[in-house]
Amino acid sequence: MSDRGRAAAPRWAAVGVLVAVLVSLPAVVGALPVEDADVFAPDLRAAVLASDSVGYSGYAESAGGLALPVTDQLTSVADLFSDRTTMRVWWRGPADHRVDVVTTAGETGVHRDAGGSWTWEYERATATRTEAAPLELPAAPDLLPPSLGRRLLSEAADAELTRIGARRVAGRDALGLRLEPAAPAASVRRVDVWVDGDSGLPVQVEVVAKGSDRPALDTRFLDLELAVPPAEVTAFRPPPGATARNGRQAEVLREAGDRVRPVALPPELAGLPRRVLDGAPRGIGLYGSGVTLLAVAPVPEGLARALDDTLAQSPDAVVDDAGARIAAGPVGLMLVEPPGRGPYVLTGTVTLDALVTAAGQLPELAGTG
Amino acid sequence: MITVELRKMFRRPRTWATIAVLNALPVLVAVLLVVTDLAPRPGEGPPFLSAVLRNGSLYPLAALAIVLPLFLPIAVAVISGDAVAGEAQAGTLRYLLARPVGRTRLLVAKLVAVLAFVVVTVVVVAAVGYLVGTTLFDAQPIGGTSVSGTSLTSEQITGRTVLAIGYVAVSMLGVAAFGLFFSTMTDSPLAATMGALAVLVTSSLLFTLDAASPIAPYLPTRYWLAFVDLFRDPIQWRDLTRGLALQGVYVGVLLAAAWANFTTKDVTS
């Protein structure tokens, strides 16, 4: 072997060691022990529900595998649940926060204040003002781990909750809380909420559907700082040169409600009791509680036809005498068109069997199927 | 040694021809934008291109975003792939090493020359972009709007543009390091360039795949477009710092490998 050949071995070995150290670093950091705390599940849930006034700022990512079969009008809502969404958030309180959905080339920021919210879209150079309403379409802020965690745990019974150890999320030790809905109609197998022990703030939420081991929705913080952010970060004023306009979301919801034909819906469907939701159009029936919810709406023919076309193109849809139905993760959707009568849409976090049962109990169908 | 390499690099017509070709695309895009007045739709096209129609002084950023995905890394791969292998192919490497300078010093000199090319190229693209932007579009001397919808003064825009130019230059160091490493492995500059480009294409492709998301943070192209984060308000440092660190790791490892290889191999050509 030449002198140069002999010199090569130690030099390459040094490079090899350098590479090995660098490659193993993430695994070593990930394997650091996580400290669990002796907290009971109901107490942890109470801490989560009390966390909406905790100030924080951070960077969160949600990944959804829910390919919702929707018509063109709701693509932005569908994208939220089927795509990877990255968000920056500054939270001073429920009526004072800012959430930016960050994309490679732009961002859409929602600035919430006491009277409503400003939505800034950079690539359109447009600021939209929306007044606060009791019922709003799902938006990116609803996907943040704290918002989603509080919503999903808000109606959970103590018997449905268990503790599942701890893990590290965004560099913090997070305590695990598992919700397994008791209702037989539930399509959600479990919801795992990982909670910062000191503040009660959910830092990661995973929703797993029945029949699956992988989360249908996973939202988590990648960075989190527990301090009240300054007010000037959440405030917003439309910049010069931008288009400022008023949002039409409330009108859209009202118009949708007006198009629903008045039908007297039963007090219970598929074993789920009827409930009232502030701001929901009166013709729409809402059933269930917690993470097991069902909505029933007698819809106009045009909407039903558009939905029927969408379902017909979906290879996962089931079409038989009971109606056309499809499941996207834990979200089920069914279109029923009784002959000679107006169509119904049934949707929610219930199993497809529960949708069929509920459809059979609708006023115009009960006793006919 | 370093001066010699720098002089050699910038006396070559090929170097300036490459820089000129790099500038042709942003100029063409600017002319087309002015003629048609058609901005890319939201979510499409390179970052900042739609904002340029409102404020031409942002065109340096749009120009960098236009050349960043493909043209700029190709140019860097060509120059860095040629660094050592070009000398070997021309039969001059032997004579270079006959001088009383160590191989490590020669490698460092080659690296500095490639880095100088990267910096000069990025600065020229930004400068030509500024000239084109302020000539062809309406420029707002009082400032502009950040990506987050807040107002930025012209000083803030200038400062952040300088940082963006620096960040793009650093982002190219990974490609340069791959090119230089492959350049020490072969006597063919074309093979070295193609090797660096293969790494680039692989990284860009994997970045678009959801299945590759566990390794995405380690891909050399992952944080290239993070310079956009300098124009959010507050500045989002997360991806910028990760991008700098990642380029640092690639440059460190590949230079160590290039050094281990080049200082111990038998040079016959």
Side-chain angles (χ1 to χ4, degrees):
Chain A
M1 195 187 271
S2 68
D3 287 350
R4 290 206 179 278
R6 267 194 294 279
R11 293 186 186 191
W12 278 111
V15 174
V17 170
L18 176 66
V19 171
V21 168
L22 288 169
V23 168
S24 58
L25 262 181
V28 171
V29 172
L32 289 175
V34 183
E35 206 173 312
D36 199 354
D38 200 12
V39 183
F40 290 115
D43 297 338
L44 196 53
R45 171 180 172 266
V48 168
L49 298 185
S51 69
D52 70 344
S53 56
V54 174
Y56 65 89
S57 49
Y59 183 76
E61 184 179 75
S62 88
L66 306 182
L68 294 176
V70 294
T71 53
D72 294 342
Q73 295 129 352
L74 285 177
T75 45
S76 64
V77 176
D79 286 350
L80 270 185
F81 294 99
S82 60
D83 277 354
R84 191 172 289 273
T85 307
T86 50
M87 294 167 279
R88 293 174 89 190
V89 54
W90 295 265
W91 190 277
R92 291 168 54 79
D96 185 5
H97 55 257
R98 165 180 164 191
V99 181
D100 292 349
V101 173
V102 178
T103 56
T104 309
E107 71 182 45
T108 302
V110 178
H111 299 249
R112 180 82 197 213
D113 55 44
S117 63
W118 278 106
T119 302
W120 162 253
E121 293 169 274
Y122 171 69
E123 288 170 287
R124 289 193 167 90
T126 303
T128 308
R129 178 70 189 174
T130 309
E131 298 308 317
L135 183 74
E136 292 169 9
L137 285 174
D142 299 316
L143 274 180
L144 288 171
S147 311
L148 189 67
R150 280 195 292 270
R151 181 174 296 230
L152 297 182
L153 291 176
S154 61
E155 295 178 357
D158 287 355
E160 295 175 316
L161 299 170
T162 45
R163 284 292 323 280
I164 46 165
R167 70 162 59 154
R168 183 167 289 106
V169 181
R172 310 184 78 86
D173 291 349
L175 312 178
L177 180 60
R178 175 165 292 172
L179 160 67
E180 288 170 296
S187 60
V188 171
R189 180 175 168 193
R190 62 167 196 262
V191 177
D192 290 347
V193 181
W194 301 89
V195 185
D196 177 59
D198 298 331
S199 61
L201 208 64
V203 290
Q204 182 177 7
V205 177
E206 294 168 296
V207 179
V208 180
K210 274 185 181 160
S212 171
D213 286 324
R214 302 169 69 89
L217 185 68
D218 179 356
T219 175
R220 70 178 79 186
F221 279 115
L222 301 177
D223 280 334
L224 176 66
E225 191 189 343
L226 285 176
V228 181
E232 60 264 27
V233 179
T234 56
F236 184 79
R237 190 182 306 152
T243 310
R245 64 181 187 197
N246 282 315
R248 292 189 60 248
Q249 199 189 85
E251 273 173 64
V252 170
L253 279 172
R254 199 169 46 244
E255 279 171 21
D258 292 344
R259 288 163 69 191
V260 172
R261 50 176 210 280
V263 174
L265 292 164
E268 189 180 283
L269 280 180
L272 301 171
R274 188 159 184 184
R275 62 184 293 165
V276 178
L277 188 67
D278 276 352
R282 277 173 44 201
I284 295 177
L286 292 162
Y287 296 84
S289 67
V291 296
T292 312
L293 293 170
L294 170 67
V296 180
V299 292
E301 291 281 351
L303 180 66
R305 239 188 327 275
L307 196 58
D308 203 22
D309 290 345
T310 311
L311 284 173
Q313 289 165 11
S314 173
D316 299 328
V318 180
V319 183
D320 58 18
D321 293 344
R325 54 199 182 276
I326 191 168
V331 180
L333 185 138
M334 181 169 183
L335 179 67
V336 195
E337 296 179 89
R341 297 181 179 156
Y344 285 97
V345 167
L346 297 90
T347 184
T349 47
V350 294
T351 60
L352 291 186
D353 289 345
L355 283 178
V356 173
T357 309
Q361 294 167 342
L362 289 170
E364 291 153 355
L365 290 163
T368 63
Chain B
M1 187 82 192
I2 289 173
T3 323
V4 172
E5 287 300 326
L6 283 175
R7 204 175 295 147
K8 207 184 330 178
M9 168 82 73
F10 289 104
R11 276 190 179 164
R12 273 184 185 162
R14 191 176 59 181
T15 304
W16 295 104
T18 308
I19 293 175
V21 170
L22 259 179
N23 278 289
L25 183 63
V27 172
L28 176 66
V29 171
V31 170
L32 289 174
L33 266 182
V34 170
V35 172
T36 64
D37 202 27
L38 280 176
R41 273 185 268 171
E44 292 174 14
F48 296 112
L49 204 53
S50 51
V52 164
L53 291 176
R54 298 188 292 274
N55 186 1
S57 61
L58 291 176
Y59 202 71
L61 300 164
L64 285 175
I66 289 168
V67 298
L68 186 59
L70 199 61
F71 269 38
L72 189 56
I74 287 180
V76 174
V78 168
I79 297 293
S80 59
D82 185 66
V84 177
E87 304 275 8
Q89 192 181 47
T92 49
L93 188 56
R94 245 185 325 166
Y95 302 109
L96 265 181
L97 295 175
R99 287 182 294 177
V101 290
R103 292 187 181 195
T104 306
R105 280 188 64 192
L106 178 64
L107 198 61
V108 169
K110 290 287 183 192
L111 175 72
V112 171
V114 174
L115 296 189
F117 170 78
V118 170
V119 172
V120 168
T121 307
V122 173
V123 169
V124 170
V125 168
V128 171
Y130 183 77
L131 281 178
V132 169
T134 49
T135 314
L136 297 183
F137 303 99
D138 293 333
Q140 294 176 11
I142 48 156
T145 305
S146 74
V147 174
S148 305
T150 54
S151 295
L152 295 178
T153 63
S154 55
E155 287 79 22
Q156 281 174 314
I157 290 188
T158 309
R160 294 183 188 203
T161 303
V162 170
L163 286 178
I165 291 169
Y167 182 81
V168 170
V170 173
S171 297
M172 287 302 113
L173 296 188
V175 183
F178 271 110
L180 196 60
F181 170 61
F182 290 133
S183 190
T184 65
M185 302 278 286
T186 169
D187 288 351
S188 160
L190 183 65
T193 300
M194 295 308 282
L197 288 180
V199 172
L200 195 78
V201 172
T202 307
S203 171
S204 304
L205 181 87
L206 289 178
F207 186 36
T208 62
L209 284 183
D210 271 350
S213 57
I215 57 166
Y218 310 106
L219 295 174
T221 59
R222 164 65 183 85
Y223 298 108
W224 278 9
L225 283 173
F227 75 89
V228 177
D229 294 349
L230 286 164
F231 294 85
R232 305 188 195 279
D233 201 15
I235 294 175
Q236 189 186 345
W237 291 105
R238 180 190 159 85
D239 284 2
L240 290 163
T241 50
R242 278 170 168 69
L244 293 178
L246 189 66
Q247 294 302 323
V249 167
Y250 273 108
V251 170
V253 168
L254 289 164
L255 284 187
W259 166 80
N261 183 46
F262 185 57
T263 54
T264 56
K265 81 172 190 176
D266 293 322
V267 174
T268 54
S269 53

